[in-house]
Amino acid sequence: MDFSVLKLKNYILLFVFTIPTYQKNCASNKNGSATKKFQLAKNDLPDPRTISSVLHSTLAHYNLMEETSGFRKFAKQKIYRNKCGLDYMNANKMEQDHPCVIKTIRQFFLNKPPPSNVPLKLDSNDAGNRSPGQTDVIMRLLKNQTKGFFVECGALDGEYMSNTIDLERKFGWSGILIEANPVTFKKLSARHRKAWTLPVCLSLEPFPTKVTFQMKVGDPGHSHIEGEAETLQEPGIPGVDPSLIEVQCFPFYSILLAVGVTQVDFLSLDVEGHELKILKTIPWRKLDIKTLTVEWDHIPEGQEALSSFMEANGFVKIGAFDFLWSKDVIFVQNQSTSKG
């Protein structure tokens, strides 16, 4: 027999007999190490070394959703399996649907909604709309849809100027609330909103990043990412605003996968100038987003660039609106080009 053929057969036999042992080890890890829960102090950011340590013992194996060859997927999973930490993830631009990214979000950043019997804790219980006007337009477009799913990025404290609180308390919606300002996020967490919450920013790239972030004292709604990413938002005021802080960012798509949803009825995006960059990270063909409201007046590229991009990705521009303290463009999914 040809030596090369014999060598190949030996490799095949080695691979076949290795699989049961590998599965046994995985099961052992799942029943042992995976039961150890790492508990964070409330509102503390996790230490990257601790994340790496915990994920090494619990990291499950997923099928990546990107169109990559099976061999490349296997090779990348094998390389990253023992290097799943924030610093490594950021430095190596780990894919937005990589199992390490999804696992990290779920285990260290994602907060579950409270039980349904826990009441909201709002500053005011009056029935007046909290949204400056976006919610009214969206509900007309969706014909007062009930039990929908929203995502609000730039969620502030979950009540003031919220584009989603009335969807939740009047129409039975649930969703995801994202707020990068740690002071404002603490207030948001105390509201008991019936939504998943995350103290992160949306990444301006299709991979996780860590950025410098400017908190605003008098107007937390204008807190924003600073640094190399250009925006028309005003920088921090020395001696008035706090010093820059570091904030972890994850791609929008990664957060949806961590929650386990791909259909969104309403996306509210207000991040003080980085909206278009974030929208460009989204794999639109893999998601079903019905409506969006996007603040545009701090985007360096301007409203036309925003509208052109969204129209190219299957959305119709309903109009540009000057709401109270906000200038937004509202888009609805073009049903003639939507996925079947």
Side-chain angles (χ1 to χ4, degrees):
M1 180 181 295
D2 182 65
F3 177 74
S4 61
V5 174
L6 179 62
K7 187 176 181 181
L8 177 61
K9 287 187 175 182
N10 288 336
Y11 278 138
I12 294 173
L13 288 173
L14 178 61
F15 178 75
V16 169
F17 285 104
T18 301
I19 290 177
T21 304
Y22 172 76
Q23 292 176 334
K24 182 178 180 181
N25 290 339
C26 286
S28 175
N29 287 339
K30 182 176 181 182
N31 296 329
S33 302
T35 60
K36 298 178 182 178
K37 299 289 185 181
F38 174 73
Q39 301 296 330
L40 291 175
K42 190 175 182 181
N43 298 318
D44 285 345
L45 291 177
D47 179 73
R49 291 172 297 180
T50 307
I51 291 178
S52 180
S53 175
V54 173
L55 291 181
H56 286 171
S57 63
T58 63
L59 183 61
H61 293 274
Y62 299 80
N63 289 322
L64 300 184
M65 296 180 68
E66 293 295 341
E67 285 81 357
T68 310
S69 70
F71 176 78
R72 286 181 62 193
K73 290 180 185 178
F74 174 78
K76 287 184 177 182
Q77 286 185 355
K78 184 176 181 181
I79 292 171
Y80 290 140
R81 189 166 58 206
N82 295 319
K83 295 182 179 180
C84 184
L86 279 181
D87 290 340
Y88 188 87
M89 187 185 307
N90 294 333
N92 288 274
K93 302 180 179 180
M94 205 171 273
E95 298 96 334
Q96 57 184 325
D97 63 351
H98 194 280
C100 175
V101 176
I102 309 308
K103 183 77 172 182
T104 300
I105 295 172
R106 287 175 177 168
Q107 192 158 1
F108 296 99
F109 295 93
L110 188 62
N111 300 287
K112 292 182 178 180
S116 58
N117 62 344
V118 176
L120 285 167
K121 293 183 66 175
L122 304 179
D123 291 337
S124 172
N125 290 318
D126 70 81
N129 289 343
R130 300 300 194 270
S131 168
Q134 293 91 327
T135 302
D136 288 338
V137 177
I138 293 300
M139 289 312 289
R140 286 201 296 270
L141 291 171
L142 296 179
K143 301 177 181 178
N144 290 338
Q145 175 184 335
T146 59
K147 306 296 182 182
F149 193 90
F150 59 75
V151 179
E152 185 171 13
C153 185
L156 292 176
D157 67 2
E159 179 181 4
Y160 176 68
M161 302 283 285
S162 173
N163 286 335
T164 58
I165 180 61
D166 291 312
L167 298 178
E168 179 182 321
R169 64 179 183 153
K170 297 178 182 180
F171 297 94
W173 286 44
S174 61
I176 303 171
L177 299 171
I178 303 168
E179 176 54 50
N181 185 324
V183 175
T184 313
F185 181 80
K186 185 176 181 180
K187 297 177 181 179
L188 166 62
S189 299
R191 300 288 185 205
H192 297 160
R193 292 283 306 270
K194 302 304 183 287
W196 302 84
T197 59
L198 300 94
V200 301
C201 50
L202 290 184
S203 179
L204 311 185
E205 306 287 349
F207 46 82
T209 57
K210 184 172 286 186
V211 299
T212 54
F213 187 83
Q214 176 64 66
M215 294 166 41
K216 290 282 188 175
V217 173
D219 188 0
H222 286 162
S223 301
H224 60 278
I225 294 174
E226 282 202 355
E228 295 181 3
E230 182 186 2
T231 176
L232 299 183
Q233 185 52 266
E234 295 294 328
I237 304 173
V240 177
D241 292 319
S243 300
L244 294 173
I245 62 173
E246 284 194 333
V247 176
Q248 179 64 41
C249 302
F250 291 101
F252 175 78
Y253 184 51
S254 302
I255 292 173
L256 289 190
L257 292 182
V259 174
V261 298
T262 56
Q263 181 172 325
V264 176
D265 297 296
F266 172 45
L267 168 60
S268 173
L269 186 59
D270 180 351
V271 292
E272 305 306 311
H274 300 301
E275 289 82 1
L276 183 54
K277 294 182 181 70
I278 289 169
L279 293 170
K280 288 182 176 179
T281 72
I282 298 176
W284 295 98
R285 68 191 181 281
K286 296 181 180 179
L287 300 176
D288 181 10
I289 301 177
K290 289 184 180 179
T291 62
L292 301 90
T293 177
V294 183
E295 188 181 49
W296 66 266
D297 56 325
H298 297 118
I299 297 177
E301 299 88 344
Q303 184 197 140
E304 289 188 8
L306 169 64
S307 298
S308 296
F309 175 80
M310 293 305 299
E311 289 167 359
N313 282 280
F315 289 84
V316 175
K317 176 182 174 181
I318 297 301
F321 299 82
D322 285 355
F323 297 111
L324 183 63
W325 301 309
S326 177
K327 295 182 178 181
D328 288 36
V329 183
I330 292 182
F331 301 96
V332 63
Q333 186 183 106
N334 187 343
Q335 295 300 316
S336 64
T337 60
S338 61
K339 299 174 284 296

